[in-house]
Amino acid sequence: QVQLVEFGGGLVQAGGSLRLSCAASGRTFSSYAMGWFRQAPGKEREFVAAITWSGGRKAYADSVKGRFTISRDNAKNTLFLQMNSLKPEDTAVYYCAAQETSAASFGSWGQGTQVTVSS
């Protein structure tokens, strides 16, 4: 398994920006597809964005499309989520996750980082 640690959460006003980072260690980072998920209080965890091992393909939830950008730096074993035009409904704990190429789902998860957007 790969170990994941998220950084970059915080408090921001609506319309502002934050950049989340996820540092990976333990296995070959470049062999994993990566994703960001979030969980708001009282709600189930939901998909935010995902990226293939090469970075060649990306996918986004409709709620963040056009505002969030997922990227990765395989040389630095790091995943990013650039979040612009933040809204109060983006408030949640954000988790990064890794999926091995042979796996059907994300099997490794970070501890999460809190993002709070004030109105």
Side-chain angles (χ1 to χ4, degrees), residues 35-118:
W36 287 99
F37 294 76
R38 67 186 182 187
Q39 187 167 19
K43 296 187 177 181
E44 293 188 353
R45 186 166 56 191
E46 65 175 3
F47 168 78
V48 175
I51 187 168
T52 54
W53 68 271
S54 67
R57 285 189 296 165
K58 303 174 184 181
Y60 298 93
D62 287 344
S63 59
V64 306
K65 205 170 291 183
R67 300 187 298 121
F68 291 11
T69 302
I70 189 171
S71 62
R72 65 190 297 164
D73 184 339
N74 286 343
K76 296 183 178 180
N77 291 352
T78 305
L79 175 74
F80 303 100
L81 184 68
Q82 178 66 44
M83 306 186 294
N84 299 329
S85 301
L86 283 161
K87 304 175 182 180
E89 51 264 43
D90 294 318
T91 295
V93 176
Y94 283 71
Y95 300 89
C96 69
Q99 179 180 6
E100 293 188 65
T101 52
S102 59
S105 62
F106 289 89
S108 298
W109 295 83
Q111 84 289 347
T113 186
Q114 176 70 47
V115 171
T116 302
V117 184
S118 63

